[in-house]
Amino acid sequence: MERITAARAVCLFADAAVSLGLVQEEDRDYTVNALLSILALDAPDEGAGDLSLLDLADLMAQDALVRGLIGEGNDASDRFTARLFGAVTPAPQAVRERFSALAGEDIVRATDWFYQLCRATDYIKTREIARNVRYESDTPAGTLEITINLSKPEKDPRDIAAMLTHKAVRYPRCALCAQNSGYAGRPGFPARQNHRIIPLTLGGDRWYFQYSPYLYYDEHCIVLNRDHVPMRISRASLGRMFDFADGFPHYFIGSNADLPIVGGSILTHDHFQGGRHTFPMERAGEWFAFDAGLGVTASALTWPMTCVRLSGKNRARLIDLVDRLLTAWRAYDDPAHGILSHTDRPHNTITPVVRKDGGMYHVYAMLRNNRATPEHPLGLFHPHQDKHHIKKENIGLIEAMGLFILPGRLLHELDQVARFLSEGAALPEDSPHQVWAAALKETHRKLSLDQAETVIRDAVGECCYQVLVDTGVYKQTEAGRRGLEAFLQSADLTA
């Protein structure tokens, strides 16, 4: 096969963009010239070739590296690739106009189009996401979803070195800021020339809608405040969530808690997460019902992270109920269950989720407390020490609903445990799984490698379930039920 040169790749890249509807046929020559400029080439090389957009981008990035146009390292290559895709991504105004026109007919058509656009332009990292290991695990809480996250590569030492020599910059202020769209990136901060955002009005204020580049479930979207302001769950934020649910009824919308330890990884920029996915928490059964007034069905769920669900058609009534619940919880103390609302700082908040189904709203409120103790210095209602070999990070919105995102290190480490169980191969002295693996071996002997892998997957699922148990402020026991009932009564939700 004839070798495809960078000049040939330019033409093939432009042709593929035309065929995908990213570039109009009339703009093909303009796009070729834009790509030639990026690659510092004088002329194209028209001809045949059969490579995908991603493969063509790889070829052009490698050529740029060889000719010294970019430095070494994954970071530099990724920034260059974003620049190439930026040349074939429709302009922001064109994206906004197309989305608005489709939304005027059917919001599902609009999100379908925008989602496919973000995949085609490599903003959603389809190739990297495909590396993730995903499976389901049956637990006492139902079927949990487990993902070992391999989509985000570890830092290349060359990238780290480049960051050290690059001057400190505070623009954009974080990865969620609207100013990321079109940004060229820098060492340690990704390029976003292929990033487009859709303006929304929520609660009378400007917000933006985008997809997550490393999505963890179908159509994983982020809804972000125009302003770089901290996360804050309030009556106003609940109203914005209902606004979104009204405008995007095929998506759920949720918020991370607004306190450290029980919140997500970004607390400095107000945002929500949503998407087209049904989570294990939503399939949980009813633990007990309680009275929340006429027109509202209210129950606590058989879910290890303490969760109540309110369902009804009256939006204003539901917002009022959740706001009352939140206000009561922020000030609620229950020392018998380890719950203190304040010490030297506030500890109580909620993780809220809203979904609209026809004319019915379903609101989930998970009660959270971030108090630390000498026995549990990372958090009393945080994964406890004996689970840190599997999961040590904060339990944010996605995992609170039963989809666990586990660190990529586990792929290799769990393979070592499987060989320890099946072949007796010694674990490395620094393996964090020594105690856990020994306990598994006590109860599972004479395993094949395949059997050992099944045992480990089940055991990881059980560990994730126990993490949710750790995070529950009221355990699924008779004493826990009495404690939760007492709190709900104190919230006076029937008034």
Side-chain angles (χ1 to χ4, degrees), residues 170-290:
R170 285 179 53 80
Y171 178 89
R173 294 182 66 182
C174 78
L176 292 183
C177 285
Q179 291 78 18
N180 280 275
S181 182
Y183 187 60
R186 59 181 184 270
F189 199 100
R192 290 288 184 255
Q193 288 101 325
N194 54 345
H195 178 34
R196 301 292 181 263
I197 56 179
I198 303 297
L200 303 176
T201 300
L202 301 179
D205 296 323
R206 174 63 77 214
W207 284 62
Y208 292 99
F209 169 84
Q210 66 174 67
Y211 287 106
S212 171
Y214 294 98
L215 47 86
Y216 294 133
Y217 50 83
D218 288 344
E219 298 179 48
H220 179 181
C221 65
I222 300 171
V223 182
L224 56 105
N225 196 323
R226 175 183 60 187
D227 300 322
H228 182 83
V229 294
M231 296 280 293
R232 178 64 179 171
I233 297 172
S234 64
R235 186 184 188 92
S237 68
L238 294 170
R240 294 184 190 106
M241 293 172 69
F242 275 80
D243 284 351
F244 182 87
D246 285 336
F248 295 75
H250 57 307
Y251 283 176
F252 82 93
I253 184 77
S255 174
N256 272 306
D258 54 358
L259 293 177
I261 297 177
V262 295
S265 58
I266 300 178
L267 293 176
T268 55
H269 194 126
D270 199 10
H271 69 284
F272 306 116
Q273 295 184 76
R276 208 170 189 171
H277 189 71
T278 301
F279 288 84
M281 179 199 71
E282 298 177 82
R283 294 189 286 268
E286 180 182 292
W287 188 15
F288 63 86
F290 60 92

Side-chain angles (χ1 to χ4, degrees), residues 7-48:
R8 174 74 58 83
V10 162
C11 299
L12 297 174
F13 198 79
D15 289 338
V18 169
S19 68
L20 289 169
L22 302 174
V23 172
Q24 295 183 16
E25 180 66 43
E26 288 294 326
D27 296 328
R28 192 260 188 188
D29 291 340
Y30 177 91
T31 303
V32 165
N33 289 334
L35 293 166
L36 290 175
S37 177
I38 293 170
L39 282 155
L41 295 173
D42 292 328
D45 175 20
E46 301 286 355

Side-chain angles (χ1 to χ4, degrees), residues 27-229:
D27 296 328
R28 192 260 188 188
D29 291 340
Y30 177 91
T31 303
V32 165
N33 289 334
L35 293 166
L36 290 175
S37 177
I38 293 170
L39 282 155
L41 295 173
D42 292 328
D45 175 20
E46 301 286 355
D50 186 22
L51 291 176
S52 69
L53 274 173
L54 284 171
D55 289 336
L56 290 166
D58 288 344
L59 187 155
M60 289 186 280
Q62 181 60 33
D63 175 82
L65 174 63
V66 170
R67 292 192 289 123
L69 298 179
I70 62 173
E72 296 184 332
N74 294 330
D75 202 4
S77 178
D78 288 347
R79 292 198 306 275
F80 187 80
T81 298
R83 189 179 176 194
L84 294 173
F85 275 100
V88 299
T89 302
Q93 180 177 347
V95 172
R96 292 193 301 270
E97 290 175 351
R98 178 65 171 158
F99 186 93
S100 179
L102 290 171
E105 301 170 6
D106 180 0
I107 188 60
V108 176
R109 285 188 63 200
T111 56
D112 284 350
W113 171 79
F114 187 47
Y115 182 62
Q116 293 305 323
L117 172 74
C118 294
R119 291 172 62 90
T121 56
D122 196 43
Y123 180 71
I124 294 176
K125 300 294 183 182
T126 55
R127 182 166 55 183
E128 289 81 356
I129 293 166
R131 298 173 187 151
N132 291 341
V133 175
R134 293 186 175 91
Y135 68 95
E136 295 181 340
S137 182
D138 292 331
T139 75
T143 301
L144 299 183
E145 301 170 24
I146 313 294
T147 295
I148 297 178
N149 184 18
L150 304 174
S151 60
K152 293 184 180 180
E154 295 183 4
K155 286 289 184 183
D156 187 310
R158 294 167 295 187
D159 299 334
I160 296 172
M163 289 171 60
L164 292 175
T165 59
H166 196 273
K167 69 177 182 178
V169 178
R170 285 179 53 80
Y171 178 89
R173 294 182 66 182
C174 78
L176 292 183
C177 285
Q179 291 78 18
N180 280 275
S181 182
Y183 187 60
R186 59 181 184 270
F189 199 100
R192 290 288 184 255
Q193 288 101 325
N194 54 345
H195 178 34
R196 301 292 181 263
I197 56 179
I198 303 297
L200 303 176
T201 300
L202 301 179
D205 296 323
R206 174 63 77 214
W207 284 62
Y208 292 99
F209 169 84
Q210 66 174 67
Y211 287 106
S212 171
Y214 294 98
L215 47 86
Y216 294 133
Y217 50 83
D218 288 344
E219 298 179 48
H220 179 181
C221 65
I222 300 171
V223 182
L224 56 105
N225 196 323
R226 175 183 60 187
D227 300 322
H228 182 83
V229 294

Side-chain angles (χ1 to χ4, degrees), residues 429-447:
E429 290 184 4
D430 61 350
S431 171
H433 307 290
Q434 295 275 4
V435 174
W436 181 66
L440 290 176
K441 194 160 191 174
E442 281 295 314
T443 54
H444 299 88
R445 298 182 179 277
K446 297 182 180 179
L447 297 175

